[in-house]
Amino acid sequence: MRQPAGRSARRSGGERKPREERWAELIEVATQVFYEKGYDGASLQDIADRLGMLKGSLYYYIQSKEDLLFDVISMVHKEGLEVVRSRASVESDPLQRLERVVAGHVEHTCRNLVAVAVFLHELSALPPERRQEVLGTEHAYQGVFRDLIEEAQREGLVRPDVEPRLAALSVLGSANWVYRWFRPGGAFTPEVIGAQLADMAVAGVATESALAARRAGIAALS
């Protein structure tokens, strides 16, 4: 079973459900409660009640509410990072990979609104050292975007006046904002939104020659 990120060991005790299933259920319920009430407004009693278990039984899995938030946020970050890294590793030029990464990030956000909202709203509730533990010393998630922009810049596909770190922050920030307005079943699907935002992100940093080549490629396919 996956070891919770928030502690090194669990206390022994009986469980009616298999441990892995119970742990997954705990994370899912905690995420929902943090979303509905906010970290400060939520209590371990709220989470225990939702699970139909005694509050004391939660300490078999965690030591504190902060530990539980850490585990929730770590899970969200890990899953999102896997999405963008897999998109970034596909063989193609860095501008195309940047487009795929932005689209993948947006689609993932649209399909995981509750978890992403908890991550973005409650990350600051963790102490600085625990936030850094989640994000990584080099801000690994942001780094995927920055590295692709830098690579594309070296290949002449991104304008030389673009500062990669600022561009990465801008692209990621605008993509993150989707969680505030996207509604499942609305006029636009995650795929449509991802494609549109990815296209706008690329257009905002690419050189004129790179954009012309993209337009030519699209025209040749149509």
Side-chain angles (χ1 to χ4, degrees):
M1 178 174 59
R2 182 183 76 82
Q3 186 73 19
R7 60 179 301 181
S8 59
R10 297 179 187 170
R11 300 179 182 181
S12 61
E15 282 291 300
R16 290 184 178 180
K17 292 186 177 182
R19 294 178 182 179
E20 293 179 0
E21 181 182 348
R22 200 55 160 165
W23 172 250
E25 186 180 11
L26 171 58
I27 291 295
E28 181 180 357
V29 168
T31 302
Q32 187 65 40
V33 173
F34 289 148
Y35 175 76
E36 293 172 5
K37 297 191 172 188
Y39 175 70
D40 289 336
S43 69
L44 290 179
Q45 188 65 60
D46 293 328
I47 294 167
D49 290 345
R50 191 77 62 92
L51 284 164
M53 62 192 295
L54 296 174
K55 177 183 174 182
S57 298
L58 292 178
Y59 294 105
Y60 174 71
Y61 299 95
I62 56 161
Q63 292 179 328
S64 65
K65 187 173 75 166
E66 181 186 298
D67 280 343
L68 189 51
L69 178 66
F70 179 88
D71 280 317
V72 168
I73 285 179
S74 295
M75 178 202 67
V76 177
H77 185 265
K78 179 181 177 182
E79 290 180 352
L81 188 58
E82 287 175 354
V83 169
V84 297
R85 279 179 169 170
S86 66
R87 294 285 185 112
S89 65
V90 176
E91 287 192 20
S92 58
D93 74 56
L95 208 56
Q96 290 175 324
R97 281 184 280 140
L98 176 63
E99 184 175 21
R100 291 193 182 103
V101 163
V102 175
H105 173 71
V106 171
E107 291 171 24
H108 177 74
T109 298
C110 290
R111 295 191 177 101
N112 297 274
L113 291 175
V114 170
V116 171
V118 171
F119 177 88
L120 294 173
H121 286 174
E122 308 299 349
L123 179 63
S124 61
L126 291 174
E129 64 275 10
R130 302 203 83 181
R131 290 201 300 271
Q132 184 171 322
E133 188 177 347
V134 171
L135 299 176
T137 55
E138 298 297 324
H139 287 264
Y141 206 106
Q142 179 194 126
V144 175
F145 294 77
R146 184 191 63 243
D147 291 348
L148 287 171
I149 293 169
E150 288 178 343
E151 185 180 346
Q153 198 170 51
R154 288 193 296 269
E155 295 186 15
L157 301 172
V158 164
R159 300 192 315 273
D161 62 303
V162 170
E163 208 296 317
R165 183 169 179 271
L166 291 178
L169 287 169
S170 176
V171 169
L172 188 53
S174 62
N176 283 343
W177 198 248
V178 169
Y179 90 98
R180 295 299 299 267
W181 53 262
F182 174 73
R183 295 295 178 269
F188 303 109
T189 66
E191 291 81 6
V192 168
I193 297 170
Q196 288 279 314
L197 292 188
D199 183 67
M200 287 187 281
V202 168
V205 299
T207 61
E208 285 298 325
S209 59
L211 291 175
R214 281 169 57 83
R215 289 191 293 266
I218 293 171
L221 294 173
S222 60

